[in-house]
Amino acid sequence: MGASQSARTEHEFKDLADRTGFSLEQINNLNKRFRQLSSNKETLSREDLASIPDLDNNPIRLQIINAFFDKRNLSQSEVGIVQEIGFEEFLMVLTHFQPAAMDITEDNREKLRRTKLRFLFNMHDTDGNGIITLEEYRQAVEELLSKAGTIAPETVKAIADAAMLDVASTTRGKMEPDEFYEGITFEHFLQILKTLDIETTMHVRFLNLDTANMRCGK
Amino acid sequence: MRGISHPTSGAVGEFFSKRLSMTMKLAVYFLTTGLTLLTLPCGSFTEVPSKPSGTVTVLPPVHPAGGPQAFPNAEKSDLPVFAMNYSRIQVPFEITLWVLLASFAKIGFHIYHKVTFWVPESCLLISIGLMVGAIMHAVHEEPPSVLSYNIFFLYILPPMVLDSGYFMPTRPFFENIGTVLWFAVVGTLWNSIGVGMSLYGVCQIGALEVQDINLQENLLFASIISAVDPVAVLNVFEDVSVNEQLYIVVFGESLFSDAVTVVLYNMFTFVAEMPVVETVDVFLGVAKFFVVGLGGLAFGLVFGFVASFTTRFTSNVREIEPLFIFMYSYLAYLVAELFNISSIMAIVTCALTMKYYVEENVTQRSCTTIRHVVKMLSSISETLIFFFLGVVTITTEHEWNWGYILFTLLFAFLWRGLGILVLTQIINPFRTIPFNFKDQFMLGYSGLRGAVTFALVFTLPDHIVRKKLFVTATICIILFTVFIQGISIRPLVEFINVRRTNRNLDTINVEVHSRLMEHAIAGIEDICGQWGHYYWKDKFMKFNNQILRKILIKDNQAESSIVALYKKLELQNAMEILDTVSEGTSTAPSVISLRKEKGPGKPKRKFVAADLRKMHDILSKNMYKIRQQTTEYTTKHSLPNDSHTKEILIRRHGTIRRSLRLRSFQSPDEARNQKYFSLPAGKSLDWRQTDNGEDETLSGGGYPSAPRSRIGQPSRSSSRVSLPLRRLDTLTEVSSSAGVDLVDERSGGRGRAGGRGKSRLNSSSSDSRVPAPPCHFDSSEVFHGNRDSMPEQEEPLSLSVTWAEEPSDHDDSSTQNPLLRRPRWNPVKPKNP
């Protein structure tokens, strides 16, 4: 695997490994995959990802692909979309899917939780204004159900509406009749999903998993 | 053929006197049912096939002539006016009484919840059995020899494994299937071989006087005692909601270790008879092991699919619908037995396979029936075995060998602990969430031995010389694990604070987002080119949706579990609203005092302006609100939740009617309105109309057409609403069979006519006659509590009548039994998101 890599990349990978928490083997593996996807270019474009045949059946493939090109997932501050990503960015996105370490502290767990949820949140918040509006929510639900066969559009809408109302009532408590709930903020997002064990469920088993090196947010 | 007989039945004279004493005792029977039963000389269960060893069959205690000669010492009587033929009914009679007694015991200790909270049920059953055994011992009677090899394997074991298989939480199971199988198969092998070898080593010590036990017998014994049965542990785990991984591993281990044990048992019983064991036999044994296991798997799959396919066509024979499930599972079991392959694997696979499809094909009622019967049968089997265990412990002759028994206990614990430690070390690198030390400890500690173990050792062939010693040792280990570990596990779990999990996947948001997350994970796996669980899940789902569902499911409407959950929650929520409303408006008017309502009675105090406003708030806001706290249907003691859905449907009928009437009778309502309430007119007139309209419908004042038939007031809140139950045309069309069914359940078959034809409830919403789409909110005014739209807002409710009783509701059924409480684990089946 790593045999073809030069010493320079070897060093780079070490650096990446330190920053992302992946092990060297994993990074090598992922790099191989990255090159395969990008047909040996330095950067990966949207089309490269869209052409993955396995992804065709994924109802939310667009959202997933978008997530790779979303600046918010690459760095915390910026908003916007990039056209191409390098390997480092690719890894940065994937870090959201690292499993939690066994001996994670409560603080880190919370941090990890926030990171992971933020990733999901960004997937829904397509315009990047920090709020999932009803439209965006509907869009998400619709995509989610798009592979499910015959579901009436009304149902989809109703589900999104119901979910939205649920958010509203959980986060705001009793609302005045003429109050308007503009959308889900991240704080509300955290609140409604507090029963979801995201830190233990949202992870991919990266090949050559080495639990000793798993440290998120390190 | 007559089988095992009691020792005295040879001599005729003795036999006669016995008859007499039996007859006399029969009278006492009805006074002290259970205990007297056991004192009967019921040594001969006539239908018990003879044991493999071929015990000498002696004259059965039945009159050769057959006739009604219950008074044998009477002289040649002409025509007996009164006659008893006890021997004829003896077997079923005694079995019935046994079951009854055990069930009474169950009722008994469920009265005090504290007892069952701290002490596992198996302990209590064994204790009762011990008591009964003590009584029997005191009167020198033998226990009935119900339990034979064939009886156990053909009648008692299948329900127990069917139960585990059917209620296996599918999703966590498949997510952890590798670990489960690893622990179940390898772990059981490890235990059997480890314990067997060590015991064999110990047997070489001269001081123990057990040199005559050879290696094969030791291995046989070890394989018997390595079947774990941690029902009590699972109970506790469920209560404290430990993490899913731990739970499912313990659950799966219990299931598959049974399978492995039975295979080993059969193998070793065979081997134990062989004079010489050669190397080739060992390899043959290994090969057989795989053939047996995989063969069982294949048979189970075949029968599962056939069963699913059959239920496609049962819509016209609803009465026998559940029967197919049992027959096919049993058939799978029997055929597997026929070919000597693992029947447990077969029945479990069959149940797992068909469950998903069958539950979509059959009606809600059939589904409930299936679940209840499965539970009931397994509960009977298990109860009987534990009970019997208690009795046998006291009444049989034991061969007590301190050394052997203590070493057995020691090795059983040692090897299990060691096995868990070693096996987790091996499996952990492959797991995304590795087991930590606490988990490992709990895994090791949950190795309780139970019913299967006892039954296996009790049905050992007689040519095994030290069978008595084995029985004694097994009973010891069962008692020890069940009592000491079973009781201490709850405090221990609390004490060491095992990782817990939050399993309330109830809100729609959580559902949506966890689905999204799964898809995201699958997508990432695809992008990384790695095949994880989700990859296979995706692939299977695709295959399932494209092929399997089309073949196996009647009206193939792929439905996402989110939609299902949404409908379910909507339904439930609507019921809560109605509860709230009826609390506000119609609590007071009981059936009798409806008329008096106008008077200055207690009813009035409810309707102050603030209350009204609150009610309005609740209504307008909750109409679509999916409640977060849907605790009701996750509580463990609520049995299949159709009681809820029933209520809601009845209520909903009422609501629709109310809203329909409302429109036609608006003006009188308004007029009356003024009498009831002292609100400033015009301010919230519409609201009051609605409110009052409901009220009015209830009181029946203005609507002579409404029949006064009340829904019986059986249970809790439904009595409050007490709606007239006239079926309107709208309802007939909107509702479907279950809706109607439940109406007729409550009201004695009144509404049976309409709904039968329509089989399923989850017909898409387009079936509904109610034209309004479920969504009443535009993005701009979603959260407006629009007062004026109150009457219209009722319509979405009526719409969702078509959504009543989803198949996914099935997951909600639950009893005290831990396995039924599974819904919390797997609230939604992975359908096709």
Side-chain angles (χ1 to χ4, degrees):
Chain A
M1 289 184 242
S4 62
Q5 308 292 338
S6 68
R8 190 184 62 85
T9 48
E10 202 66 52
H11 179 72
E12 255 177 37
F13 284 1
K14 274 223 174 68
D15 187 42
L16 279 175
D18 284 344
R19 274 190 292 151
T20 56
F22 286 111
S23 69
L24 269 180
E25 293 93 336
Q26 286 170 343
I27 288 184
N28 272 327
N29 272 327
L30 290 173
N31 189 44
K32 214 170 135 204
R33 176 71 179 171
F34 180 84
R35 298 210 164 266
Q36 185 192 345
L37 289 178
S38 63
S39 36
N40 254 332
K41 288 197 297 274
E42 282 298 313
T43 55
L44 195 65
S45 71
R46 205 173 278 269
E47 289 72 33
D48 292 331
L49 287 185
S51 63
I52 300 175
D54 290 331
L55 217 52
D56 281 346
N57 291 310
N58 205 314
I60 57 165
R61 59 193 278 267
L62 283 180
Q63 292 195 33
I64 294 172
I65 293 173
N66 282 337
F68 276 90
F69 300 94
D70 194 328
K71 279 187 191 162
R72 287 171 297 172
N73 291 334
L74 308 174
S75 59
Q76 295 294 323
S77 47
E78 290 173 73
V79 176
I81 287 174
V82 291
Q83 289 310 316
E84 294 197 318
I85 51 168
F87 181 58
E88 189 180 341
E89 284 83 21
F90 183 70
L91 277 188
M92 289 306 284
V93 175
L94 292 183
T95 51
H96 292 98
F97 290 89
Q98 282 177 334
M102 279 313 293
D103 47 352
I104 191 166
T105 62
E106 228 18 76
D107 274 357
N108 276 340
R109 181 182 292 274
E110 192 54 39
K111 221 190 269 171
L112 182 69
R113 188 180 166 75
R114 285 184 77 98
T115 336
K116 284 180 188 274
L117 282 174
R118 175 63 84 174
F119 184 83
L120 286 186
F121 183 84
N122 289 344
M123 263 170 59
H124 302 319
D125 181 18
T126 42
D127 60 1
N129 62 355
I131 287 173
I132 300 178
T133 60
L134 184 64
E135 280 307 318
E136 285 167 342
Y137 207 137
R138 278 184 186 166
Q139 180 72 21
V141 174
E142 195 179 322
E143 274 180 27
L144 185 60
L145 297 176
S146 60
K147 297 276 177 191
T150 55
I151 288 181
E154 294 89 36
T155 316
V156 174
K157 263 172 128 186
I159 289 173
D161 292 350
M164 201 69 173
L165 257 168
D166 183 26
V167 182
S169 58
T170 20
T171 52
R172 288 279 186 89
K174 293 214 184 256
M175 292 212 312
E176 288 305 309
D178 49 352
E179 208 174 333
F180 177 69
Y181 187 70
E182 67 285 346
I184 308 171
T185 63
F186 185 60
E187 289 308 315
H188 290 172
F189 193 72
L190 284 179
Q191 202 176 335
I192 54 171
L193 293 185
K194 63 171 178 284
T195 55
L196 188 64
D197 278 337
I198 194 122
E199 65 272 16
T200 53
T201 47
M202 182 168 146
H203 51 67
V204 173
R205 182 183 306 167
F206 295 102
L207 288 185
N208 297 333
L209 179 96
D210 186 0
T211 47
N213 289 335
M214 281 304 179
R215 290 283 187 283
C216 280
K218 190 174 165 183
Chain B
M1 94 178 224
R2 316 291 183 187
I4 308 102
S5 54
H6 57 78
T8 53
S9 58
V12 177
E14 219 179 320
F15 172 63
F16 276 177
S17 69
K18 205 109 195 178
R19 288 280 94 188
L20 185 62
S21 81
M22 185 187 280
T23 324
M24 279 159 55
K25 278 178 184 170
L26 203 61
V28 195
Y29 241 102
F30 299 101
L31 297 173
T32 55
T33 320
L35 303 184
T36 330
L37 152 76
L38 302 164
T39 67
L40 275 172
C42 41
S44 57
F45 263 54
T46 41
E47 271 157 33
V48 175
S50 65
K51 286 185 182 178
S53 61
T55 327
V56 191
T57 310
V58 208
L59 181 72
V62 180
H63 259 270
Q69 306 194 22
F71 301 103
N73 49 355
E75 270 108 58
K76 287 221 164 194
S77 54
D78 300 324
L79 181 76
V81 179
F82 175 74
M84 288 211 306
N85 192 349
Y86 179 68
S87 59
R88 199 170 144 251
I89 59 152
Q90 186 183 11
V91 175
F93 184 72
E94 282 166 6
I95 290 177
T96 313
L97 287 182
W98 270 85
V99 173
L100 253 186
L101 178 62
S103 312
F104 279 139
K106 265 196 162 181
I107 296 179
F109 41 69
H110 272 289
I111 290 176
Y112 298 106
H113 274 287
K114 273 185 188 155
V115 177
T116 40
F117 185 78
W118 290 108
V119 184
E121 208 177 89
S122 42
C123 293
L124 296 168
L125 277 172
I126 294 176
S127 311
I128 304 255
L130 286 174
M131 276 184 247
V132 173
I135 295 168
M136 283 172 67
H137 190 64
V139 294
H140 302 289
E141 287 291 350
E142 294 192 349
S145 42
V146 226
L147 205 60
S148 78
Y149 181 84
N150 273 344
I151 294 269
F152 173 70
F153 276 101
L154 294 187
Y155 305 114
I156 296 185
L157 187 60
M160 285 161 54
V161 276
L162 177 64
D163 172 67
S164 323
Y166 197 81
F167 291 100
M168 164 85 77
T170 322
R171 196 166 170 182
F173 172 68
F174 281 110
E175 278 169 9
N176 295 287
I177 187 164
T179 318
V180 168
L181 288 180
W182 176 254
F183 277 113
V185 178
V186 183
T188 311
L189 280 173
W190 168 284
N191 279 337
S192 311
I193 294 171
V195 175
M197 294 286 186
S198 328
L199 279 178
Y200 179 64
V202 166
C203 285
Q204 304 312 308
I205 303 172
L208 290 179
E209 295 171 351
V210 281
Q211 283 101 324
D212 56 327
I213 307 178
N214 60 18
L215 180 62
Q216 295 98 302
E217 286 176 345
N218 269 320
L219 282 174
L220 172 63
F221 174 64
S223 73
I224 288 174
I225 60 166
S226 36
V228 292
D229 180 18
V231 180
V233 180
L234 291 176
N235 250 325
V236 175
F237 281 5
E238 188 80 37
D239 279 351
V240 299
S241 69
V242 298
N243 61 81
E244 204 169 85
Q245 291 80 26
L246 182 56
Y247 181 91
I248 195 65
V249 167
V250 173
F251 187 96
E253 190 194 0
S254 76
L255 183 55
F256 289 100
S257 80
D258 283 355
V260 176
T261 301
V262 170
V263 174
L264 289 179
Y265 175 82
N266 286 331
M267 245 160 65
F268 286 135
T269 21
F270 184 76
V271 171
E273 289 172 34
M274 298 195 331
V276 196
V277 183
E278 292 168 23
T279 347
V280 68
D281 292 325
V282 176
F283 287 107
L284 283 181
V286 174
K288 183 185 165 69
F289 187 81
F290 283 103
V291 168
V292 160
L294 296 178
L297 196 76
F299 268 103
L301 278 177
V302 169
F303 277 96
F305 283 126
V306 173
S308 318
F309 191 64
T310 314
T311 49
R312 267 189 80 152
F313 307 103
T314 53
S315 52
N316 294 324
V317 282
R318 292 271 181 236
E319 308 81 37
I320 55 167
E321 213 168 44
L323 200 63
F324 286 106
I325 311 309
F326 300 113
M327 291 304 112
Y328 274 116
S329 334
Y330 197 43
L331 209 60
Y333 187 89
L334 289 181
V335 172
E337 281 278 297
L338 172 71
F339 291 109
N340 266 326
I341 56 179
S342 173
S343 40
I344 297 186
M345 276 304 282
I347 198 170
V348 165
T349 324
C350 180
L352 268 177
T353 316
M354 71 183 175
K355 179 185 175 190
Y356 170 74
Y357 302 103
V358 161
E359 292 201 344
E360 286 216 25
N361 275 336
V362 302
T363 53
Q364 166 80 37
R365 296 177 116 199
S366 303
C367 181
T368 314
T369 313
I370 294 167
R371 283 159 172 262
H372 278 231
V373 173
V374 167
K375 268 295 156 211
M376 196 180 70
L377 290 179
S378 82
S379 155
I380 290 175
S381 301
E382 211 171 76
T383 307
L384 275 181
I385 292 187
F386 275 124
F387 198 84
F388 197 70
L389 168 76
V391 173
V392 164
T393 308
I394 302 279
T395 49
T396 46
E397 256 177 79
H398 290 292
E399 184 186 341
W400 189 262
N401 184 323
W402 273 106
Y404 194 76
I405 288 170
L406 284 184
F407 271 115
T408 308
L409 271 176
L410 176 73
F411 287 136
F413 287 112
L414 207 67
W415 281 99
R416 181 165 176 92
L418 215 63
I420 296 289
L421 282 180
V422 172
L423 293 181
T424 8
Q425 288 315 310
I426 299 173
I427 197 82
N428 256 350
F430 297 96
R431 289 185 59 83
T432 19
I433 310 169
F435 287 115
N436 60 19
F437 186 71
K438 286 175 181 175
D439 292 339
Q440 293 178 35
F441 179 76
M442 285 327 292
L443 269 177
Y445 203 76
S446 60
L448 272 64
R449 271 64 165 184
V452 174
T453 310
F454 171 70
L456 284 177
V457 83
F458 196 75
T459 55
L460 273 178
D462 279 341
H463 62 77
I464 296 198
V465 190
R466 292 295 192 116
K467 184 184 168 184
K468 277 182 187 161
L469 177 61
F470 289 156
V471 173
T472 309
T474 309
I475 288 178
C476 278
I477 197 168
I478 292 176
L479 290 185
F480 187 84
T481 53
V482 165
F483 276 87
I484 296 187
Q485 283 175 247
I487 293 176
S488 64
I489 193 129
R490 185 182 294 269
L492 210 64
V493 169
E494 310 266 355
F495 178 70
I496 70 172
N497 199 11
V498 183
R499 264 190 302 149
R500 310 207 176 174
T501 190
N502 209 330
R503 280 181 268 119
N504 298 323
L505 281 172
D506 286 328
T507 71
I508 200 147
N509 277 301
V510 174
E511 177 68 13
V512 165
H513 287 106
S514 57
R515 289 291 151 160
L516 278 168
M517 182 190 73
E518 275 176 23
H519 285 299
I521 291 172
I524 297 289
E525 277 177 356
D526 286 338
I527 285 175
C528 299
Q530 301 184 348
W531 292 356
H533 282 129
Y534 291 96
Y535 174 85
W536 288 109
K537 194 184 153 191
D538 255 25
K539 287 279 169 271
F540 174 73
M541 280 302 155
K542 197 177 153 206
F543 173 67
N544 184 35
N545 284 334
Q546 287 178 350
I547 299 168
L548 288 182
R549 285 183 64 95
K550 288 212 172 71
I551 300 172
L552 299 176
I553 291 184
K554 197 165 35 186
D555 32 19
N556 180 23
Q557 282 180 344
E559 187 173 64
S560 166
S561 54
I562 298 176
V563 180
L565 178 83
Y566 169 69
K567 290 173 182 176
K568 189 164 79 185
L569 290 179
E570 225 252 358
L571 198 66
Q572 177 152 17
N573 182 46
M575 198 191 78
E576 282 171 14
I577 298 162
L578 288 176
D579 260 347
T580 331
V581 173
S582 47
E583 247 168 67
T585 58
S586 57
T587 312
S590 68
V591 187
I592 308 147
S593 67
L594 282 170
R595 298 271 173 183
K596 292 175 192 162
E597 207 186 338
K598 288 166 195 163
K602 42 169 186 171
K604 232 178 175 176
R605 89 198 129 112
K606 293 258 172 197
F607 305 125
V608 283
D611 276 293
L612 271 183
R613 186 168 181 83
K614 205 174 115 210
M615 280 188 297
H616 165 229
D617 265 1
I618 292 165
L619 249 182
S620 60
K621 203 153 57 64
N622 283 17
M623 197 52 82
Y624 268 122
K625 185 187 155 206
I626 303 302
R627 297 274 289 238
Q628 184 124 36
Q629 297 82 13
T630 43
T631 46
E632 289 232 60
Y633 72 94
T634 56
T635 50
K636 47 181 177 174
H637 290 298
S638 62
L639 237 119
N641 224 9
D642 33 0
S643 65
H644 266 204
T645 11
K646 255 171 228 167
E647 252 172 61
I648 178 90
L649 278 167
I650 294 164
R651 281 145 190 269
R652 184 140 327 145
H653 289 197
T655 325
I656 298 160
R657 216 170 304 118
R658 267 179 254 156
S659 57
L660 286 175
R661 285 205 191 112
L662 240 182
R663 264 163 240 147
S664 37
F665 291 98
Q666 243 178 13
S667 35
D669 280 350
E670 226 171 279
R672 228 162 273 180
N673 230 353
Q674 310 296 338
K675 284 184 224 158
Y676 288 123
F677 306 113
S678 52
L679 276 180
K683 174 113 192 236
S684 55
L685 194 65
D686 287 338
W687 157 244
R688 276 183 286 129
Q689 272 170 17
T690 318
D691 174 43
N692 207 31
E694 284 166 2
D695 211 6
E696 203 44 58
T697 317
L698 285 175
S699 70
Y703 314 105
S705 66
R708 302 313 307 245
S709 57
R710 300 283 170 205
I711 307 150
Q713 311 199 353
S715 57
R716 335 154 253 157
S717 43
S718 72
S719 59
R720 261 196 259 126
V721 187
S722 54
L723 303 167
L725 243 190
R726 200 186 50 150
R727 287 174 51 242
L728 298 185
D729 286 347
T730 341
L731 296 177
T732 322
E733 276 141 21
V734 169
S735 70
S736 45
S737 65
V740 176
D741 281 356
L742 55 92
V743 171
D744 65 47
E745 238 173 52
R746 279 285 168 85
S747 59
R750 195 172 303 130
R752 189 164 282 255
R756 280 278 158 179
K758 229 179 176 187
S759 51
R760 293 186 62 221
L761 284 165
N762 60 344
S763 49
S764 76
S765 56
S766 56
D767 280 355
S768 156
R769 282 295 174 92
V770 182
C775 169
H776 277 257
F777 299 113
D778 287 330
S779 53
S780 55
E781 50 147 30
V782 188
F783 303 102
H784 280 252
N786 194 346
R787 245 162 231 219
D788 298 336
S789 64
M790 270 325 294
E792 283 83 16
Q793 283 203 358
E794 299 237 13
E795 277 195 2
L797 282 184
S798 66
L799 175 82
S800 50
V801 170
T802 43
W803 290 354
E805 302 204 15
E806 277 304 299
S808 74
D809 278 4
H810 305 169
D811 282 347
D812 292 340
S813 56
S814 52
T815 58
Q816 285 104 333
N817 198 307
L819 303 177
L820 255 182
R821 280 189 250 140
R822 204 56 22 73
R824 283 194 290 171
W825 286 98
N826 191 12
V828 268
K829 279 165 277 175
K831 288 182 185 175
N832 45 343

